[in-house]
Amino acid sequence: EQWLTLTTQFETCFKQAAGKVVHLEQYAHNQHQQRVQGRQNAKRLLG
């Protein structure tokens, strides 16, 4: 089910970056962003 969601709704789940939460946090920090976008979907779909 998670694979199907990732392959059919990828652009809806992740806007700027995709990956595990730790990587999204690193990306947000490097981009000087206050919020981590896609955190809930990353937890749900990637663990």
Side-chain angles (χ1 to χ4, degrees):
E1 180 181 329
Q2 294 163 330
W3 177 84
L4 184 61
T5 301
L6 276 171
T7 57
T8 60
Q9 300 175 18
F10 186 83
E11 292 175 350
T12 303
C13 295
F14 300 101
K15 303 293 183 203
Q16 296 178 357
K20 292 189 175 190
V21 173
V22 65
H23 297 128
L24 293 178
E25 290 170 345
Q26 290 172 347
Y27 175 81
H29 176 76
N30 290 338
Q31 297 297 313
H32 307 289
Q33 296 175 347
Q34 296 292 320
R35 298 180 63 202
V36 176
Q37 295 182 3
R39 181 190 303 263
Q40 292 300 328
N41 285 325
K43 284 181 183 179
R44 180 172 58 93
L45 298 171
L46 302 172

